[in-house]
């Protein structure tokens, strides 16, 4: 009976203390969780986010500089461009105080006439079919009007404010790469032409020797050596039987 009373007393005491324990655990959990529900927590979270954003921008800047890439945003409906780094002005040889090019200016003043339709097709593929924006073609680097090669790549995005289509991408002057590719292609064509000539023709090589050195013994000087030697040729050979001679090399 005494044991039953003691057990009942413990159950009642634990029941009375349970709400207090729950409140205590919840308070400690909030404290240890360090959730940003205070002004200090919000400031710390904002500072951390800003620090991460700054590091991301710095990494992006270093990567684009190493690859010599320009970064642009193209507002397609308004045909207005925003250039995000100095490399864009360098690629087109434009002063920094000049506004970024629109696509109309690019096609009229800079792109080679044979590349304009390719640029338009690349734009249609991106806007109408959702494909990745990619264009490679020749352009004039004014004012000298030197012909360079331009590569544009980008992705289509929808602007949240008005639903307009924008293209965010990179630009690169790939002139040196194209020249190397052309030189390699030309060398490959020359090699293929040479190999084709070998397969379909015979070669006559008439070049007399002025030195002949034999690395094994002979019983006599072969006539072919004499026929291929010019006047005054030195012939070094061991004249002996096949088995008794020793090599000179």
């Amino acid at each position: 009976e005494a044991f039953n009373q003691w057990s009942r007393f413990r159950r009642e005491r634990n029941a009375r203390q349970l709400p207090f324990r729950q409140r205590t655990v919840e308070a400690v959990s909030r404290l240890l969780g360090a959730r940003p529900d205070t002004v200090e927590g919000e400031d710390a979270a904002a500072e951390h986010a800003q620090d991460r954003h700054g590091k991301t921008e710095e990494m992006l800047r270093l990567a684009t500089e190493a690859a010599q890439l320009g970064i642009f945003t193209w507002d397609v409906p308004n045909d207005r461009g925003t250039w995000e780094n100095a490399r864009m002005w360098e690629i087109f040889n434009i002063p920094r105080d000049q506004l970024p090019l629109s696509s109309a200016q690019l096609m009229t003043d800079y792109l080679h006439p044979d590349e304009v339709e390719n640029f338009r097709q690349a734009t249609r593929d991106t806007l109408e079919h959702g494909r990745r924006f990619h264009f490679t073609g020749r352009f004039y680097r004014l004012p000298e009007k030197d012909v360079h090669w331009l590569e544009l790549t980008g992705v289509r995005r929808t602007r949240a404010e008005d639903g307009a289509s924008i293209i965010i991408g990179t630009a690169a002057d790939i002139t040196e790469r194209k020249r190397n590719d052309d030189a390699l292609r030309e060398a490959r064509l020359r090699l293929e032409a040479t190999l084709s000539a070998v397969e379909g023709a015979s070669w006559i090589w008439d070049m007399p020797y002025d030195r002949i050195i034999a690395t094994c013994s002979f019983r006599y000087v072969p006539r072919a050596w004499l026929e291929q030697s010019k006047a005054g040729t030195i012939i070094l050979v061991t004249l002996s039987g096949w088995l008794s001679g020793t090599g000179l090399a």
Side-chain angles (χ1 to χ4, degrees), residues 57-82:
E57 284 192 340
E58 179 65 13
M59 292 175 64
L60 178 62
R61 184 186 65 81
L62 292 175
T64 53
E65 286 183 359
Q68 295 186 328
L69 294 176
I71 304 176
F72 68 89
T73 302
W74 178 20
D75 180 350
V76 180
N78 299 311
D79 195 15
R80 184 170 56 244
T82 301

Side-chain angles (χ1 to χ4, degrees), residues 6 21 62 72 107 109 137 165 168 180 183 188 208 215 248-249:
W6 173 249
R21 289 179 179 175
L62 292 175
F72 68 89
M107 289 187 289
D109 300 331
S165 295
I168 303 173
N180 293 337
R188 186 181 295 112
T215 58
L248 300 177

